[in-house]
Amino acid sequence: METATSTTPKQPQISEMFSKFALAFKTKTFEFFADETAAADEIADGFSLLDSAEDFIPDQKVIILKPDQPLSHNQDFLPQKELTVKNSETQIKPLNIQLANTLISSVFATASSFEASYLQLQTAHVPFNEESIKVADKALVSALQKLSDLKHVYRDLCKNPDFGDDLPIGSCLEAQVEENQSKLRILGTVSNSLQAEIDQKDSEVPVLKKKLSEVQKFNSLSSKRLCSSLNSNSEVLLTVKVFDSVLNDACRTMHKFTKILVDLMRKAGWDLDLAANSVHSDVDYVKGGHNRYAFLSYVCLVMFKGFNLEGFGLESEGEVSCNRFGLDSVKSNSSLKQLLEHVSSNPMELLSRNPTCEFSRFCEKKYQELMHPAMESSIFSNLDQNEVVLNSWRSLSKFYESFVNMASSVWTLHKLAFSFDPVVDIFQVERGVDFSMVYMEDVTRRCTVPNKTRLKVGFTVVPGFKIGRTVIQSQVYLCA
């Protein structure tokens, strides 16, 4: 598949502009007012003494001593004169509330104007507009100058409250109007920036539509080639010889997994004869070691359970396979496509890459059917921690890999079986049935020629298959 990527440079976000605005406002204000800080501190200290409630006590009595009448140790104090200091005569005249509100509103209006100008300055850089940058820079300097003027006004008011009658500032409403105008400037700048982004995206739409059309044409052509390839491959893949080869590969992986399972049971201290008897009871084995065929039969029959269903038992009970409605051709093409996709990937990597796919669910289901929790706990809990298998079948171990390879081979055989038209049939021989060389094969290879002795089927080890009129024999264990 082809993908379309855009190489247009990314514009700065508005949130980044406001962050830069806060830093620039702090820096410029500090530099602009640095030379006035000392004077302001001196004035503030002077007024702090007058404003202190602890340094002035109303209606207090003051004793006045005349310096031209010296005192001696034996001389009494001269008559004292009392003077009452009235609170109303020493209070500092406070600022007018309306005047203070007007001053504060002017400060906020000027700050909003600075914010709007700074945002305009930032947006003028991308794309670069020299004239807009100059205008925004002048507006920034003007806003800082106005803040300085307001600071001087406040200082003069602190010195002389009566000075407020001739202040060079407007009313509170005028300041609010100016602040709202600055906010509108900010919204206008943001709106213009967003509109520019929309226009840029609109200009990219025709290009992307053209690329999408090209990709769709390429996919359509690839799909036709794939269908043609499937039709040509079906003539090669859908043969009895290929199916028999895939079946032998599946049997080989099941033999390998069964051997590992039996070894783990032996290490865990299991009684193998008793375990084999629980799988197929009362079987007279020709040799003592033949009980391993009972375990192989258990593994094979569990793995091939549901093989005759298109979904291999993964679909719900209410689902019906496609062949019941005469959709065999659609089903065959789908199974063949899934077959080619599966054999082209590593089963271990497939489980890691897509843990929710059908094959992953198949592995999970078959493991739960194969390894009962009590059986799993008994086998793995008694193993040493240094063993290859560690506590879980999902660990990267020889046991896990052999199970996944076995499941993958059975899954491949199932997809191949449903690629045939008609679908390959599977059959199992019941216990006690007379041995027939047409439909059965002795798993021990003992009975290779017709024998006068009537042999009975002890149990089925590997099921048999029927492809049209061709029969692939079922492997069974025979009893006399």
Side-chain angles (χ1 to χ4, degrees), residues 193-211:
S193 177
L194 295 177
Q195 185 61 44
E197 292 182 5
I198 293 174
D199 295 339
Q200 180 183 355
K201 297 297 182 183
D202 290 340
S203 63
E204 295 176 356
V205 169
V207 179
L208 295 177
K209 283 184 177 180
K210 183 179 179 181
K211 291 185 177 181

Side-chain angles (χ1 to χ4, degrees), residues 245-310:
S245 175
V246 177
L247 175 61
N248 290 333
D249 182 69
C251 292
R252 180 181 55 80
T253 58
M254 286 185 284
H255 273 277
K256 182 178 180 181
F257 176 79
T258 303
K259 182 179 180 180
I260 296 176
L261 180 62
V262 172
D263 289 341
L264 293 176
M265 294 168 65
R266 184 181 294 107
K267 289 182 180 180
W270 280 46
D271 186 337
L272 297 182
D273 292 332
L274 183 61
N277 189 67
S278 65
V279 177
H280 297 293
S281 60
D282 301 329
V283 177
D284 294 331
Y285 295 102
V286 178
K287 293 182 179 180
H290 281 187
N291 57 7
R292 67 179 182 274
Y293 291 113
F295 299 115
L296 178 60
S297 171
Y298 170 74
V299 172
C300 291
L301 295 182
V302 169
M303 295 304 297
F304 281 112
K305 181 180 179 182
F307 189 89
N308 60 316
L309 302 176
E310 184 183 358

Side-chain angles (χ1 to χ4, degrees), residues 342 345-355 359 363 393-406 408:
H342 184 77
S345 59
N346 186 295
M348 300 287 292
E349 295 178 356
L350 183 61
L351 291 180
S352 301
R353 184 173 63 252
N354 190 2
F359 175 66
C363 292
W393 72 276
R394 292 182 179 84
S395 60
L396 294 178
S397 61
K398 186 177 180 181
F399 179 78
Y400 171 49
E401 292 178 0
S402 63
F403 173 80
V404 173
N405 290 331
M406 176 183 65
S408 176

Side-chain angles (χ1 to χ4, degrees), residues 23-40:
L23 179 60
F25 183 82
K26 179 179 178 181
T27 306
K28 284 183 173 291
T29 305
F30 178 78
E31 295 174 354
F32 200 85
F33 298 142
D35 56 341
E36 301 176 358
T37 304

Side-chain angles (χ1 to χ4, degrees), residues 169-180:
I169 58 176
S171 64
C172 182
L173 293 177
E174 292 177 349
Q176 292 178 0
V177 170
E178 183 181 353
E179 182 178 1
N180 291 333

Side-chain angles (χ1 to χ4, degrees), residues 9-17 20 122-123 126 193 197:
K10 184 179 179 181
Q11 296 188 2
Q13 299 295 326
I14 299 301
S15 58
E16 298 179 1
M17 294 183 180
K20 296 179 180 179
Q122 290 296 312
T123 54
V126 181
S193 177
E197 292 182 5

